[in-house]
Amino acid sequence: MPEFQVGGAVAVGEQPIKGLISPAAGARMTVAETLTNLLAAPITDIKDVKMSGNWMWAAKCEGEGARLVHACDALCEALALVGCAIDGGKDSLSMAAKVDDELVKAPGTLVLSAYAPCSDVTKVLSPDFKGPRDGDRCTMVVYARMGSSMSRNRLGGSALAQVLRQVCCHINSDLRILPYLSVVLGKPLLGVVHEVIWCLKSMQKVFPA
């Protein structure tokens, strides 16, 4: 392969609002967002993915140190499940300020920056629909449900919950399929990558303001 076709893939993930409800779930969702953001690039292997972790937390405030530990434990477990690792990062653990008599805290946030070798930059996927590949009769459209079964919609900390001022009123967003991400990453199984956007107007019937 020509050298100019070999490159690197970079992706970022962060889920601070979900971390307000559950630091552990927020960390897992951060890992998932980071890795799914790499899906469009033909990386060499999931084991080649390395991440830089940036912790921004008001760790000196009451209860925040324990929340940070829960998030860190969940992060380590999630990375072990998918088979990649953090090789560096930084922390800002004084994310609080006192203004007059009011204590203002930033939400505990983990930002992951992932990078991996990209075997062929000309094969990066785009969101537009493609026709059947050579030898295939049709193109299949698959909706990958990242959370759980259809009977349990986890909307805590979601954009919809924020719009409706119900961030903590629902079961926190979480996921169960982290190990399966390693099956898809770096494999020529996909032809298109596209995000699913929920229509706020239709969802307001289910979760009225």
Side-chain angles (χ1 to χ4, degrees), residues 91-126:
D91 60 74
S92 302
L93 301 183
S94 300
M95 299 296 291
K98 197 166 186 179
V99 181
D100 295 329
D101 294 329
E102 182 180 5
L103 180 65
V104 180
K105 295 191 302 182
T109 303
L110 165 65
V111 179
L112 292 177
S113 303
Y115 53 95
C118 181
S119 55
D120 189 347
V121 296
T122 65
K123 294 183 179 179
V124 173
L125 302 180
S126 58

Side-chain angles (χ1 to χ4, degrees), residues 150-170:
M150 291 295 290
S151 62
R152 191 177 187 185
N153 293 300
R154 300 175 174 181
L155 292 175
S158 65
L160 175 64
Q162 293 178 58
V163 169
L164 301 179
R165 299 180 182 273
Q166 299 176 358
V167 171
C168 300
C169 296
H170 306 290

